[in-house]
Amino acid sequence: MGLVSWLLFALTVVLDVFGQTAFKLGLDGMDAGDKSGAGRLFWRAVATSPWVAAGFLGYCIEAASWMYVLGHAPLSIVGPMAALSYVGTVLTGRLFLGERPRARRWLGAGLVTIGAGLVGASLG
Amino acid sequence: MVEAPRARRAGPSRDLRLAIGGWLLFIVVETATQVAFKYAGATLDDGAGVAHLIGHALATPVVLLGFGLYFCGFLIWLTILKDVDLGRAFPMTAVIYVSTLTCAVLLFHETLNLTRIAGVVVIAAGVALLASDTRSPATTQGGED
């Protein structure tokens, strides 16, 4: 697994965290009626949300980047390591979404980070 | 187990069944996406430059399948996310990592060494911890939002 693969893997994680956070920001910013409205109202609000659009664009780049990574690295390495995006969303949830993670969520984020390090190291 | 909590905002059990069905569908679609992408990545030759790579990718069925599945997963995810706190919803996607790892071994014949298995176990433990922090906006609505 070369440097380019690792860099694109990092990009994938960053874009995933960005996309998740943007989707949530977009959904939080929606009119309550649109959000709970079944079907058309909800999807129209989704389609016109700038945050959702930004997140979706990030997802498209992420998909291409991820495909490159998967073509050059074992799925059993980068698959589990992609859990690092959990750590990122706990951080952005706290920083940008006003979420208040409890200690166990932080501890979980720490364990995911350690586990991802182990998986990466297992490549030898 | 199917008993819905008596939360003010929670709907009847039909909603719960829809939610569980949605999660299962999401997990299946996401796992299939990873498998399609892995096949796709293996078929693409990136030595010929980015433009050629993109052109080739768009003409390869398994790539298009991967993107199609990816988009479906995206739509399902949005419907899930509209009702659930992000920090709570996202860790629950952990199941995908188990199913993906299984596919890596069964379909792509990857071998797992001890360090890798230990790492995945630690990740799973971390994700389980994350997921067990189930406090959502519904239960903390005293604050402004």
Side-chain angles (χ1 to χ4, degrees), chain A residues 11-89:
Chain A
L11 179 72
T12 301
V13 171
V14 167
L15 286 175
D16 200 52
V17 174
F18 169 75
Q20 297 292 340
T21 310
F23 293 149
K24 188 60 178 169
L25 279 169
L27 292 163
D28 282 352
M30 268 180 202
D31 183 84
D34 288 348
K35 202 165 140 181
S36 58
R40 201 169 293 176
L41 273 181
F42 172 67
W43 291 112
R44 184 184 299 165
V46 166
T48 56
S49 162
W51 278 118
V52 173
F56 184 70
L57 181 67
Y59 256 38
C60 291
I61 301 168
E62 181 194 339
S65 166
W66 185 234
M67 204 176 291
Y68 179 93
V69 172
L70 281 178
H72 294 77
L75 184 59
S76 62
I77 290 279
V78 291
M81 283 188 76
L84 281 171
S85 54
Y86 298 160
V87 179
T89 46

Side-chain angles (χ1 to χ4, degrees), chain A residues 16 20-21 23-24 27 35-38 42-43 46 52 55-56 59-60 62-64 66-83 85-87 89-90 92-93 97-109 111-112 114-116 118-119 121-123, chain B residues 33-35 37-38 40-42 44 46 53 57 63 66-67 70-71 74-79 81-88 90-95 97 100-101 103-105 108 110-113 115-120 122-127 129-130 132-137 145:
Chain A
D16 200 52
Q20 297 292 340
T21 310
F23 293 149
K24 188 60 178 169
L27 292 163
K35 202 165 140 181
S36 58
F42 172 67
W43 291 112
V46 166
V52 173
F56 184 70
Y59 256 38
C60 291
E62 181 194 339
W66 185 234
M67 204 176 291
Y68 179 93
V69 172
L70 281 178
H72 294 77
L75 184 59
S76 62
I77 290 279
V78 291
M81 283 188 76
S85 54
Y86 298 160
V87 179
T89 46
V90 171
T92 58
L97 300 171
E99 295 176 2
R100 301 258 163 196
R102 285 188 292 187
R104 70 167 70 176
R105 209 184 282 181
W106 291 118
L107 193 62
L111 281 179
V112 169
I114 294 168
L118 279 174
V119 171
S122 79
L123 201 52
Chain B
T33 305
Q34 299 306 323
V35 170
F37 275 4
K38 178 66 183 166
L44 297 177
D46 52 285
L53 181 66
V63 174
F67 275 103
Y70 199 59
F71 186 67
F74 163 75
L75 291 183
I76 299 168
W77 178 242
L78 275 186
T79 61
L81 202 61
K82 96 180 145 115
D83 298 321
V84 186
D85 194 3
L86 175 63
R88 182 185 176 192
F90 200 50
M92 287 196 265
T93 59
V95 185
Y97 292 87
T100 304
L101 196 68
C103 289
V105 174
F108 302 110
E110 293 178 14
T111 49
L112 308 176
N113 61 26
T115 314
R116 197 171 306 177
I117 292 170
V120 174
V122 174
I123 289 174
V127 169
L129 259 185
L130 281 162
S132 69
D133 186 0
T134 53
R135 197 168 53 164
S136 73
D145 213 28

